[in-house]
Amino acid sequence: MPPTTFREIHPSSRPKAGEAPRPDMFTIVERSVDLDALAPGTIAVKTLYLSVDPYLRSPLGFDGDEARPSPPAMQMSQFKDAASITAFDEVFGGRGAGIIIKSNNKDYKEGDLVAADWKWTEIAVFDPSKEITFEKLDPSIFTTDATNDKDHRSPDGKFNLSHALGLLSVSGSHAYYGVIQALQVKRGDLVVVSGAGGSIGLMVDQLVQVFGGVAVGVAGGEDKCAKLVSSKLVNHAIDYKAAGNSSDKIIADLKAVAPQGVDKYFDNTGGPITEAVVASLNKGGRIYVCGAVSDYNNVGWMQRLYQGSLGQGPDVTVQRGADLSPTYLPKIPEARVELIKFVREGTLTPHEYVVEGFDHVPRAWTDMLAGKNFGKTVVKL
């Protein structure tokens, strides 16, 4: 059999400080592999879905940055390269889900569904024992035959493979443990969720209500906010764009829907939204910092995300996803069980923003960073 050709995506330039990434900062490179000559222990996986995530802003870096790997302490089971900068001759991206098409490993066979951080490539060849992000997916949970347009499940209740990159992955784990452990949401709590229309935000919106809280979602755009409310994903929505992204105006909007103040805050954005929510927090409030997408185009954003002060008072508890990830990641299977239960009970609906075609991966990513998605963005190959 002749070598099999496939494509992968490399960075070709980097944004200047303060500049947003563009699709033309990437290039598609053609490769080939002899599937009949796999090294012992390796498998070849055909990618079916690719994840595009905000944290990938770090591996793209800024103009003038030199490529570097993530420090060993940062190489966690689903964020192996989160603190790296990808070289121009390397594959860019994060997690994928797919099907084994050739195996030279006794523990895995053709047809197995798997996921790992093999980045933006159509075919991935690697040794699972040497890949800390690898997961063999449970065939009793995942399928490639999902036909339900509402939540992408099959008639027998299995979840489409794409959910291994969203609801039933680290995103779902962050949402679940952020709500129950970091924020400790209880009945009657008023919880603000920034990035409320995004991958994690949409899950948090619903989980807050599952545990008896009142969800106030902050999102960008009249249509997105209207959809959040009409679909009962949140109890109230605030449009930060209509407020001119002004912390003072967002504070006024918060007072209108939460005259008694804010109890808990799930932060995906940072910036003026966070300034407004922190100023509106009640004594004894809790904050979970999951991300700071509004700051990602500025040099030093990762250090601020991990260590920066939010200006909160001494009586406010702050926990950060960067610190808690080592705790959450091993418990993804436990979160998965609970999230599946909520979906089957009808109290949690997964939302995906599916883009089709490998050529469209960079655009899907930059559009997601610009807030054009509703739910978890995945690319179907």
Coordinates of all heavy atoms in Angstrom, one line a residue, residues 113-156:
L113 N -12.5 4.1 19.7 CA -12.6 5.6 19.7 C -11.7 6.1 20.8 O -11.6 5.6 22.0 CB -14.0 6.0 20.1 CG -15.1 5.5 19.0 CD1 -16.5 6.0 19.5 CD2 -14.8 6.1 17.6
V114 N -10.9 7.2 20.5 CA -9.9 7.7 21.4 C -9.8 9.2 21.3 O -10.4 9.8 20.4 CB -8.5 7.1 21.1 CG1 -8.5 5.6 21.3 CG2 -8.1 7.5 19.7
A115 N -9.2 9.8 22.3 CA -9.0 11.3 22.3 C -7.6 11.5 22.9 O -7.1 10.8 23.8 CB -10.1 12.0 23.1
A116 N -7.0 12.6 22.5 CA -5.7 13.1 23.0 C -5.4 14.4 22.4 O -6.0 14.9 21.5 CB -4.6 12.1 22.7
D117 N -4.3 15.0 22.9 CA -3.9 16.3 22.4 C -3.0 16.1 21.2 O -1.8 16.4 21.3 CB -3.2 17.1 23.5 CG -4.1 17.7 24.5 OD1 -5.3 17.3 24.6 OD2 -3.7 18.5 25.3
W118 N -3.5 15.6 20.1 CA -2.6 15.3 19.0 C -2.6 16.5 18.0 O -2.0 16.5 17.0 CB -3.0 14.1 18.2 CG -4.5 14.0 17.7 CD1 -5.1 14.7 16.8 CD2 -5.4 13.0 18.2 NE1 -6.3 14.3 16.6 CE2 -6.6 13.2 17.4 CE3 -5.4 11.9 19.1 CZ2 -7.8 12.4 17.6 CZ3 -6.5 11.2 19.2 CH2 -7.7 11.4 18.5
K119 N -3.3 17.6 18.4 CA -3.3 18.9 17.7 C -4.1 18.8 16.4 O -4.8 17.8 16.1 CB -1.9 19.4 17.6 CG -1.2 19.4 18.9 CD 0.2 20.0 18.9 CE 0.9 20.0 20.2 NZ 2.2 20.6 20.2
W120 N -3.9 19.9 15.6 CA -4.7 20.0 14.4 C -4.1 19.3 13.2 O -3.4 19.8 12.4 CB -4.8 21.5 14.1 CG -5.6 22.3 15.1 CD1 -6.3 21.8 16.2 CD2 -5.7 23.7 15.2 NE1 -6.9 22.8 16.9 CE2 -6.5 24.0 16.3 CE3 -5.2 24.8 14.4 CZ2 -6.8 25.3 16.7 CZ3 -5.5 26.1 14.8 CH2 -6.3 26.3 15.9
T121 N -4.4 18.0 13.1 CA -4.0 17.1 12.1 C -5.1 16.1 11.7 O -5.9 15.8 12.5 CB -2.7 16.4 12.5 OG1 -2.2 15.5 11.4 CG2 -2.9 15.5 13.8
E122 N -5.0 15.7 10.4 CA -6.1 14.7 10.0 C -5.8 13.3 10.5 O -6.7 12.5 10.7 CB -6.2 14.8 8.5 CG -6.7 16.1 7.9 CD -6.7 16.2 6.4 OE1 -5.7 15.8 5.8 OE2 -7.8 16.5 5.9
I123 N -4.5 13.0 10.6 CA -4.1 11.7 11.1 C -3.0 11.9 12.1 O -2.1 12.7 11.9 CB -3.6 10.8 9.9 CG1 -4.7 10.4 9.0 CG2 -2.9 9.5 10.5 CD1 -4.2 9.5 7.8
A124 N -3.1 11.2 13.2 CA -2.1 11.3 14.3 C -1.5 9.9 14.5 O -2.3 8.9 14.6 CB -2.8 11.8 15.6
V125 N -0.2 9.8 14.6 CA 0.5 8.6 14.9 C 1.3 8.7 16.1 O 2.2 9.6 16.2 CB 1.4 8.2 13.7 CG1 2.2 6.9 14.0 CG2 0.6 8.0 12.4
F126 N 1.1 7.9 17.1 CA 1.8 8.0 18.4 C 1.7 6.8 19.2 O 0.8 5.9 18.9 CB 1.2 9.2 19.2 CG -0.2 9.1 19.5 CD1 -0.7 8.6 20.7 CD2 -1.2 9.6 18.6 CE1 -2.0 8.5 21.0 CE2 -2.6 9.5 18.9 CZ -3.0 9.0 20.1
D127 N 2.4 6.7 20.3 CA 2.4 5.6 21.3 C 1.6 6.0 22.4 O 2.0 7.0 23.2 CB 3.8 5.3 21.7 CG 3.9 4.1 22.7 OD1 2.8 3.7 23.3 OD2 5.0 3.5 22.9
P128 N 0.4 5.5 22.7 CA -0.5 5.9 23.8 C 0.2 5.9 25.1 O -0.1 6.7 26.0 CB -1.6 4.9 23.7 CG -1.6 4.4 22.3 CD -0.2 4.4 21.9
S129 N 1.1 4.9 25.3 CA 1.8 4.8 26.6 C 2.7 6.0 26.9 O 3.1 6.3 28.1 CB 2.6 3.5 26.7 OG 3.7 3.6 25.9
K130 N 3.1 6.8 25.9 CA 4.0 7.9 26.0 C 3.2 9.2 25.9 O 3.8 10.3 25.8 CB 5.1 7.8 25.0 CG 6.0 6.6 25.2 CD 7.1 6.5 24.1 CE 7.9 5.3 24.3 NZ 8.9 5.1 23.3
E131 N 1.9 9.2 25.8 CA 1.1 10.4 25.6 C 0.2 10.6 26.8 O -0.8 9.9 27.0 CB 0.2 10.2 24.3 CG -0.7 11.4 24.0 CD 0.0 12.7 24.1 OE1 0.9 12.9 23.2 OE2 -0.3 13.6 24.9
I132 N 0.6 11.6 27.7 CA -0.1 11.8 28.9 C -1.6 12.3 28.7 O -2.4 12.2 29.6 CB 0.6 12.8 29.8 CG1 0.7 14.2 29.2 CG2 2.0 12.3 30.2 CD1 1.2 15.3 30.1
T133 N -1.9 12.8 27.5 CA -3.3 13.3 27.3 C -4.2 12.2 26.7 O -5.4 12.5 26.5 CB -3.2 14.5 26.4 OG1 -2.9 14.0 25.1 CG2 -2.2 15.5 26.8
F134 N -3.7 11.0 26.5 CA -4.5 10.0 25.8 C -5.6 9.4 26.7 O -5.4 9.2 27.9 CB -3.5 8.8 25.4 CG -4.2 7.7 24.7 CD1 -4.6 7.8 23.4 CD2 -4.6 6.5 25.4 CE1 -5.3 6.7 22.8 CE2 -5.2 5.5 24.8 CZ -5.6 5.6 23.5
E135 N -6.7 9.2 26.0 CA -7.8 8.5 26.7 C -8.5 7.6 25.7 O -8.9 8.0 24.6 CB -8.9 9.5 27.2 CG -10.0 8.8 27.9 CD -11.1 9.8 28.3 OE1 -11.0 11.0 27.9 OE2 -12.0 9.4 29.1
K136 N -8.7 6.3 26.0 CA -9.6 5.4 25.3 C -11.0 5.7 25.7 O -11.3 5.6 26.9 CB -9.2 4.0 25.5 CG -10.0 3.0 24.7 CD -9.6 1.5 24.9 CE -10.5 0.6 24.1 NZ -10.2 -0.8 24.4
L137 N -11.9 6.0 24.8 CA -13.2 6.4 25.1 C -14.1 5.2 25.3 O -14.1 4.2 24.5 CB -13.8 7.3 24.1 CG -12.9 8.6 23.9 CD1 -13.4 9.4 22.7 CD2 -13.0 9.5 25.2
D138 N -15.0 5.2 26.2 CA -15.9 4.2 26.6 C -17.0 4.0 25.5 O -17.8 5.0 25.3 CB -16.6 4.5 27.9 CG -17.4 3.3 28.4 OD1 -17.8 2.5 27.6 OD2 -17.8 3.3 29.6
P139 N -17.0 2.9 24.8 CA -18.0 2.7 23.7 C -19.5 2.7 24.2 O -20.4 2.8 23.4 CB -17.6 1.4 23.0 CG -16.9 0.7 24.0 CD -16.2 1.7 24.9
S140 N -19.7 2.5 25.5 CA -21.0 2.5 26.0 C -21.5 3.9 26.2 O -22.7 4.1 26.5 CB -21.1 1.7 27.4 OG -20.4 2.4 28.4
I141 N -20.6 4.9 26.1 CA -21.0 6.3 26.3 C -20.9 7.0 25.0 O -21.8 7.8 24.6 CB -20.0 7.0 27.3 CG1 -20.2 6.4 28.7 CG2 -20.3 8.5 27.4 CD1 -19.2 6.9 29.7
F142 N -19.9 6.8 24.2 CA -19.6 7.6 23.0 C -19.9 6.8 21.7 O -19.7 5.6 21.6 CB -18.2 8.0 22.9 CG -17.8 9.0 24.0 CD1 -17.1 8.6 25.2 CD2 -18.2 10.3 24.0 CE1 -16.8 9.4 26.2 CE2 -17.9 11.2 25.0 CZ -17.2 10.8 26.1
T143 N -20.3 7.5 20.7 CA -20.7 6.9 19.4 C -20.3 7.9 18.3 O -20.2 9.1 18.5 CB -22.2 6.6 19.3 OG1 -22.4 5.9 18.0 CG2 -23.0 7.8 19.4
T144 N -20.2 7.3 17.1 CA -20.0 8.2 15.9 C -21.3 8.3 15.1 O -21.4 8.8 14.0 CB -18.9 7.7 15.0 OG1 -19.3 6.3 14.6 CG2 -17.6 7.7 15.7
D145 N -22.4 7.7 15.7 CA -23.7 7.6 15.0 C -24.8 8.4 15.7 O -25.9 7.9 15.9 CB -24.1 6.1 14.9 CG -25.3 5.9 14.0 OD1 -25.5 6.7 13.1 OD2 -26.1 5.0 14.3
A146 N -24.5 9.6 16.1 CA -25.5 10.5 16.8 C -26.3 11.2 15.8 O -25.7 11.9 14.8 CB -24.8 11.5 17.7
T147 N -27.6 11.2 15.9 CA -28.5 11.8 14.9 C -29.4 12.9 15.5 O -30.1 13.5 14.8 CB -29.4 10.7 14.2 OG1 -30.1 10.0 15.3 CG2 -28.5 9.7 13.5
N148 N -29.4 13.0 16.8 CA -30.3 14.0 17.5 C -29.7 15.4 17.3 O -28.7 15.7 17.9 CB -30.4 13.6 19.0 CG -31.5 14.5 19.7 OD1 -31.6 15.7 19.3 ND2 -32.2 13.9 20.6
D149 N -30.4 16.2 16.5 CA -29.8 17.6 16.3 C -29.9 18.4 17.5 O -29.1 19.4 17.6 CB -30.7 18.3 15.2 CG -30.4 17.7 13.8 OD1 -29.4 17.0 13.6 OD2 -31.3 17.8 13.0
K150 N -30.7 18.1 18.5 CA -30.8 19.0 19.7 C -29.6 18.9 20.6 O -29.0 19.9 20.9 CB -32.0 18.6 20.5 CG -32.2 19.4 21.8 CD -33.4 19.0 22.6 CE -33.5 19.8 23.9 NZ -34.6 19.3 24.8
D151 N -29.1 17.7 20.9 CA -28.0 17.5 21.8 C -27.0 16.5 21.2 O -26.1 16.1 22.0 CB -28.4 17.2 23.2 CG -29.3 15.9 23.3 OD1 -29.2 15.1 22.3 OD2 -30.0 15.7 24.3
H152 N -27.1 16.1 19.9 CA -26.1 15.3 19.3 C -25.9 13.9 20.0 O -24.8 13.5 20.3 CB -24.8 16.0 19.1 CG -24.9 17.3 18.4 ND1 -24.5 18.5 18.9 CD2 -25.4 17.5 17.2 CE1 -24.8 19.4 18.0 NE2 -25.3 18.9 17.0
R153 N -27.1 13.3 20.3 CA -27.1 12.0 20.9 C -27.7 11.0 19.9 O -28.5 11.3 19.0 CB -27.8 11.9 22.2 CG -27.0 12.6 23.3 CD -27.6 12.3 24.7 NE -28.9 13.0 24.9 CZ -29.8 12.6 25.8 NH1 -29.6 11.5 26.5 NH2 -30.9 13.2 25.9
S154 N -27.4 9.7 20.1 CA -28.0 8.7 19.3 C -29.3 8.2 19.9 O -29.6 8.5 21.0 CB -27.0 7.5 19.1 OG -26.8 6.9 20.4
P155 N -30.1 7.4 19.1 CA -31.4 6.9 19.6 C -31.2 6.1 20.9 O -32.1 6.1 21.7 CB -31.9 6.1 18.5 CG -31.3 6.7 17.2 CD -29.9 7.1 17.7
D156 N -30.1 5.5 21.1 CA -29.9 4.7 22.3 C -29.3 5.5 23.5 O -28.9 4.9 24.5 CB -29.1 3.4 22.1 CG -27.7 3.8 21.5 OD1 -27.3 5.0 21.4 OD2 -26.9 2.8 21.2

